[in-house]
Amino acid sequence: MTGRRLLLHSLFLFLLPVIVAWWGLSVAGAIALVLLALLWRWAISLSAIAAPARVPDLALETISASHFVEKVRWCMDRLGVDYVEQPTGGALGAFFLGRTVPVLKFCSGAVRSSIGNSPEILRYLWGRYAAERGEQAEFLRPTPDRLEFEARVDRCGVDLQVWVYHHILDDRELTLQAWGANSPRIPAWQRLVLQKEQIIPLFDPPFDRSSLFPGYIRGYPPGVRENGGQYTHGSIWFAMAMARKGDGGKAVQMLKMMSPIEHSSGPNKTTLYGIEPYVVAADIYRLAGSVGKGGWSWYTGSAAWMYRAWVEEILGIKRRGDVLIIDPVIPPSWNGFSVTFHFNAAE
């Protein structure tokens, strides 16, 4: 209820200058409206103190397509505790929230606290309910064997995601369907982004909350440069790996996604990209509110690797000393290609 009152109050403040101008109010009248707005705001604050909004004792913030969320949900259901699930992101929750883990919010006296990362949540549930529920909570006891098994399950979950994405990435429609591009349960703005996002991140999810410190990479916000964004230098190697596997179709698809031309193929894309469309960018953001924005431009290292990927890996033209190697890996949709190559005095 308080949230709705604040929304109405904010709308009133936004329209206040329009009201003053429309009705031609005097200075005294404008001051009276401002004082009225202040009294209204104080009344909202007092009502929140006198009758605070009821919040659930346990609330689990979840995102889609996360085995970490499924693990916590299963444990809480088995434990039999009452909780409220609060979806906070659709299929792109990992991108826009910078995490693939749930968050448990709970009341501790008058304080509202939260815990992120599924292992920490399970340790909290054990500490809180071990004595109260006895045998019912025994499965949460963090024995060395169980902790090792939990780590293996988490690792398998991540590997499964990688395997799935690897096998469906070449089928754009299947990939979008798997991410929920046509699901009415996914927020409309996220479905729109799914249809337009053309980014190959260095890894996913980005480092945000972690008990381990991975180094300087965590100094970037989640979704920027190496920390979960498209770090073009390394992403090109992914395309080269696909070419060396013999999958020219997937390699070309990835290289086209990283091409500055593709990111500037229309006015809207050009505005979002924000940098030169004729040079390779070092990185492309996956930061909330800036997905698709170009980072450092004129990045010669990435440009050189992209050139080598197209010429040496896709067209298969390699020079090794005095030896010329031609071993193309082109997509099945190509009928062929022609190249004029100068080799010493020959053409």
Side-chain angles (χ1 to χ4, degrees):
M1 190 65 181
T2 301
R4 294 181 181 178
R5 292 172 181 170
L6 287 174
L7 179 61
L8 289 174
H9 183 264
S10 299
L11 182 61
F12 175 75
L13 291 178
F14 179 77
L15 294 176
L16 185 58
V18 178
I19 295 172
V20 172
W22 181 269
W23 294 101
L25 298 180
S26 63
V27 174
I31 293 175
L33 281 179
V34 171
L35 291 176
L36 177 63
L38 289 174
L39 289 173
W40 187 4
R41 181 64 179 85
W42 291 336
I44 294 174
S45 300
L46 289 174
S47 67
I49 296 173
R54 295 182 60 185
V55 295
D57 185 40
L58 289 176
L60 182 65
E61 290 189 355
T62 61
I63 60 177
S64 304
S66 169
H67 77 281
F68 298 109
V69 172
E70 296 296 332
K71 178 177 70 173
V72 172
R73 185 189 291 122
W74 180 85
C75 288
M76 295 182 71
D77 289 342
R78 180 174 176 181
L79 188 60
V81 297
D82 293 327
Y83 69 96
V84 175
E85 183 170 337
Q86 300 174 339
T88 57
L92 293 180
F95 299 157
F96 293 96
L97 299 179
R99 58 182 175 84
T100 59
V101 298
V103 172
L104 181 68
K105 294 186 175 180
F106 57 95
C107 294
S108 178
V111 179
R112 186 73 169 166
S113 304
S114 63
I115 302 175
N117 290 335
S118 57
E120 284 81 359
I121 294 176
L122 298 191
R123 303 298 88 78
Y124 167 78
L125 294 174
W126 163 251
R128 176 170 175 175
Y129 293 103
E132 177 183 329
R133 304 212 172 213
E135 290 296 324
Q136 190 177 3
E138 184 60 29
F139 74 97
L140 289 171
R141 182 185 293 275
T143 64
D145 289 342
R146 288 173 180 171
L147 292 177
E148 181 183 357
F149 178 72
E150 181 183 2
R152 291 174 61 187
V153 169
D154 288 344
R155 183 66 260 171
C156 288
V158 174
D159 290 343
L160 178 61
Q161 290 176 332
V162 173
W163 184 89
V164 170
Y165 298 152
H166 170 75
H167 283 81
I168 70 174
L169 183 61
D170 200 36
D171 190 326
R172 176 172 171 77
E173 293 302 320
L174 183 59
T175 302
L176 292 175
Q177 183 69 23
W179 273 102
N182 301 314
S183 173
R185 297 180 59 189
I186 304 302
W189 66 272
Q190 292 190 17
R191 295 201 302 270
L192 182 64
V193 171
L194 275 171
Q195 296 291 344
K196 293 185 175 181
E197 185 177 270
Q198 294 288 306
I199 295 173
I200 301 178
L202 190 62
F203 58 82
D204 183 68
F207 289 106
D208 187 10
R209 302 180 181 91
S210 173
S211 59
L212 301 177
F213 184 67
Y216 86 97
I217 192 172
R218 192 166 146 182
Y220 295 115
V224 175
R225 291 182 63 78
E226 295 99 320
N227 193 14
Q230 177 180 297
Y231 190 58
T232 310
H233 196 142
S235 298
I236 291 173
W237 293 348
F238 189 13
M240 294 172 69
M242 292 297 103
R244 294 187 184 187
K245 275 185 55 181
D247 195 341
K250 187 173 295 184
V252 166
Q253 181 183 11
M254 291 178 177
L255 289 172
K256 289 177 67 177
M257 287 171 64
M258 289 182 277
S259 169
I261 297 175
E262 293 292 326
H263 286 279
S264 308
S265 57
N268 293 334
K269 282 188 173 183
T270 301
T271 300
L272 174 62
Y273 191 49
I275 57 176
E276 299 90 337
Y278 43 84
V279 292
V280 178
D283 60 294
I284 299 177
Y285 288 10
R286 289 177 71 204
L287 182 68
S290 301
V291 178
K293 177 179 175 58
W296 292 1
S297 63
W298 292 93
Y299 208 69
T300 55
S302 295
W305 278 109
M306 183 169 285
Y307 174 84
R308 291 189 61 180
W310 276 111
V311 175
E312 296 187 356
E313 306 299 335
I314 304 301
L315 303 184
I317 302 174
K318 307 180 184 70
R319 178 176 177 177
R320 300 293 182 263
D322 291 328
V323 178
L324 180 63
I325 302 171
I326 302 178
D327 183 22
V329 183
I330 61 175
S333 58
W334 288 17
N335 294 324
F337 65 91
S338 60
V339 172
T340 300
F341 187 82
H342 295 271
F343 186 69
N344 294 332
E347 178 180 318

